Structure formats: structure tokens, C-alpha cells
Amino acid sequence: MAAWTLTYAGTTKTFAEWGLRGLRRAQASQATGSVTLRQSGASFDGAPLFAIDALVTISKDGVPWHKGPVVSVPRDAGPTSEGLDYEIADPWWYLEQLPYEQQIAIGMSSGNTTRISLFGSVSDGHTVKLSVQGVIINVIGLVVTAGASMSVSFSGSFGVSPPIADMRDPTCAEIIRAALRWAPDATTGWYYGTTVEAAPVLIIATRGGAAA
């Protein structure tokens, strides 16, 4: 039987030691996945174990299996029982929350805008074409600058440079989805490394790349 642990605020305990059970996981490509856990018997109006937005790592046999922020703590109470549920999102959640801003450089001045030239980078009034891979690398860089911990790895061919298109006020997740329309067989997933401290890696793979 696997040994399941959860790490929060530097403390690692088994599910039983935390008073948790009922592990469930929902995964999705190019969307936010999540894990839920149940704290049975917890007071309906009591303080939760984990703060909203706090980072939690779940490990299986000592290897990180899921990592992300606590995004909701639904509560319930009935005639004979009460408890709390914890929903822990995967790192795609950060991509959905952060608006994408593109830097524009004109002469000695620069600034950011949420009117995006998708597949283009604007500098000194000129637009430079970007590939699908280049766009996604820029997105991950912005999210990391904003404070999230992640990187990206590609498997397959993402070097195509599609026509430049305008987008207004997109999130980082919407930029990635728009870019991957030019790689229609691409899927996304997460690799959490071998230690609790490791940054999650967004794995983007085409069907051919995944089979290689």
C-alpha cells in the first residue's frame, strides 16, 4: 500500500496525522486540475487546517504527486456529522488568474499593455514574429516574475510561427490555449520533480513527441 503524505508550511505528515481522507483527483489538459481531501469531524465553523492560497504538496511514497494552492474549503454539517473539504488546484490555476501583459518598447521608453499581438513582439515600432514555443516561454516567464514557481518543457515540434493576431485582456492560460491551436494534437500535464522543493514543470507534448 502506498504511503501518502502532505506537506504544508514546512510540515510533512501522513493523511491520518492531518486527519484527512477521501483523496480524489481530477486532471485536465490546458485547464486547471485539482485534488480534494476530506477532514471528517472538523467543526463547521472551525479554523481550516490550510489557508486559502497556501501551497500544498502531496507525495506518494516520498515522491511529489501533486502540488498547488488551496483554492476552496467547502464546509458541511448534518444531523450526525460535519466536516471540511479542501480543494487544492494544480499550477495551471496561476495561469488562469494572471492577466497577460506584453511589453512594448519604443525608443528609450517601454511599457506594458493588455492588448496583445499574439505571435508578435513589439520593439521600436517594429513587430518581430514569435513561434508557438516562444509565446509560451514568454507566458511562463511572466508568471514566474509574478511569484509562481514553475518552468516549461516541450516534446515535439512547436517552432511554427503563425500569423500575428490581436487579443484583448487575455489571461496567461488563454494565451497558451490560443498558441496551442496551432499544435492541435498537443496536450499539457505537470511533472512535480523528486523533492518537495522542486518547481513544477509544465509538460507540453504533441502526439509524436509523447511517443518518442
Side-chain angles (χ1 to χ4, degrees), residues 184-198:
D185 64 340
T187 59
T188 66
W190 294 95
Y191 171 65
Y192 296 107
T194 58
T195 65
V196 170
E197 297 78 18

Side-chain angles (χ1 to χ4, degrees), residues 7-210:
T7 301
Y8 167 70
T11 298
T12 300
K13 298 180 183 180
T14 65
F15 285 180
E17 290 169 334
W18 284 113
L20 300 171
R21 64 178 182 83
L23 175 67
R24 291 177 294 170
R25 188 190 211 183
Q27 294 178 289
S29 175
Q30 302 181 42
T32 303
S34 66
V35 159
T36 55
L37 284 161
R38 174 78 174 167
Q39 185 187 8
S40 297
S43 174
F44 177 83
D45 56 359
L49 291 171
F50 317 120
I52 292 291
D53 293 338
L55 182 65
V56 166
T57 300
I58 296 171
S59 298
K60 178 181 179 182
D61 295 328
V63 178
W65 180 82
H66 182 90
K67 181 180 292 186
V70 178
V71 294
S72 69
V73 185
R75 302 163 182 263
D76 65 76
T80 60
S81 65
E82 53 188 321
L84 305 180
D85 293 306
Y86 298 91
E87 181 185 7
I88 305 159
D90 65 22
W92 191 275
W93 183 85
Y94 297 114
L95 299 169
E96 296 282 10
Q97 304 306 307
L98 185 66
Y100 185 76
E101 294 184 344
Q102 189 170 49
Q103 188 175 68
I104 297 178
I106 301 176
M108 299 297 292
S109 301
S110 64
N112 293 332
T113 178
T114 56
R115 181 172 179 174
I116 307 304
S117 292
L118 186 64
F119 305 117
S121 176
V122 180
S123 178
D124 289 328
H126 300 288
T127 302
V128 179
K129 291 288 295 294
L130 294 174
S131 66
V132 169
Q133 182 168 324
V135 167
I136 295 173
I137 288 173
N138 285 350
V139 170
I140 299 302
L142 179 65
V143 176
V144 171
T145 299
S149 178
M150 66 176 70
S151 62
V152 62
S153 176
F154 298 90
S155 180
S157 178
F158 296 92
V160 61
S161 295
I164 293 174
D166 287 337
M167 295 183 71
R168 290 180 179 267
D169 305 316
T171 65
C172 288
E174 287 170 333
I175 290 288
I176 293 178
R177 284 191 287 264
L180 289 180
R181 291 192 186 105
W182 293 89
D185 64 340
T187 59
T188 66
W190 294 95
Y191 171 65
Y192 296 107
T194 58
T195 65
V196 170
E197 297 78 18
V201 181
L202 176 62
I203 306 295
I204 304 179
T206 61
R207 186 176 296 111

